[in-house]
Amino acid sequence: MLNRALVTLLPLVPRPLVWRVSKRYIAGKSLEAALDCVRTLNEQGMSATLDVLGEDTAVAEDAVKGRDLYLAALEAIEKAHLDCNISVKLSQMGLRFDPELCRSVMRDLVSSAATRGNFVRIDMEDATATQITLDLYRELRRTWNCVGTVVQAYLKRTPEDVDQLLKEGLATLRLCKGIYVESQAIAFQGKEQIRIAYTEILRQLFEGNSAKVGIATHDRPLVEAALAMIKELEIPPERYEFQMLLGVTESMRQELVTAKHPLRVYVPFGEEWYAYSSRRLRENPQIAGHVFRNLFRRSS
Ligand SMILES: Cc1cc2nc3c(=O)[nH]c(=O)nc-3n(C[C@H](O)[C@H](O)[C@H](O)COP(=O)(O)OP(=O)(O)OC[C@H]3O[C@@H](n4cnc5c(N)ncnc54)[C@H](O)[C@@H]3O)c2cc1C
């Protein structure tokens, strides 16, 4: 409760202080900082996916700037021989104001990834974008294999979407709970209900012979359920990878790596760190407590 109340006070906290707390969850403001972070993760036996921070752009210039940063990232990843792909939000690429621009930017990104032997993951955003994201994903898959997207366990439509994608041979998916606030009409609300949905969809993907599944969660009971399912169904490591956000549940991450499970870390970076941090803090108000404790320490 207290932490939730603190989140509402966040806009009053000086940005340098928010940065002190956020930098654990963000690789840095520049591509170079992000590549350094990826290199360290690779040395520790983890792969990575880069996220250039920025969503809901409102002008073409910002979408093009985002595209150019991703293109530079793909080039740098190849040059440095890093084990890293990219994760992209369509709203950053102009989806909300110019779907044609978004389509053309995504074609540029996936085409560049294809020539470099890399991969593009299209992040899933709020429910107003679900269908259009799946449609664009299907369109891109007509030309390229090196693109996947995300499904959210809290959405009631997801088992049907997964069923359809499995039938089309297009189930190259990351499975997450879903981060946006959605209505009861379309999304499960209870933690336990979402966990059940998550494990059912994971089973659907494994049993449906999907391509590699990104098991994106930090929720220990879900990680354990996934491990049990992998064992029960004898799923080989080429067919799954755990995925976690930078700076979150690092000890569990290490346990999985030590047990030789493939693990990819989602590495956000860029100038738009403040909006991203605010979202993370709203999502997990416990971190807000740290911000305010740091504030206290500084002034004492
Ligand atoms: C790699 C990756 C990619 C994702 N991509 C998408 C996407 O494309 N679309 C989408 O809607 N959502 C995405 N998400 C977010 C996801 O939907 C969840 O909102 C988020 O992962 C929290 O759910 P959880 O499964 O970790 O379980 P929770 O029950 O929320 O978390 C379990 C525990 O993990 C820790 N934890 C979780 N999140 C954080 C955090 N941010 N900071 C600090 N500690 C934390 C806490 O200790 C918490 O108790 C992604 C998540 C990951 C890991």
Side-chain angles (χ1 to χ4, degrees), residues 124 150-154 174-179 194 198 214 216-217:
M124 189 55 83
V150 180
V151 286
Q152 297 155 321
Y154 67 2
R174 169 197 298 155
L175 173 62
C176 66
K177 285 184 179 173
I179 205 174
I194 297 170
Y198 193 105
T217 181

Side-chain angles (χ1 to χ4, degrees), residues 79-99:
K79 265 200 187 135
H81 305 291
L82 296 173
D83 182 355
C84 182
N85 59 38
I86 59 170
S87 289
V88 183
K89 287 186 178 55
L90 296 184
S91 72
Q92 183 180 9
M93 300 307 160
L95 179 70
R96 307 276 185 209
F97 65 93
D98 188 347

Side-chain angles (χ1 to χ4, degrees), residues 10 21 50 73 80 86-87 103-104 155 167 210 213 225 257 274 296:
L10 254 184
V21 179
L50 276 186
I86 59 170
S87 289
R103 177 174 284 113
S104 135
L155 286 190
K167 281 185 189 138
S210 69
V213 185
V257 173
Y274 186 77
F296 179 73

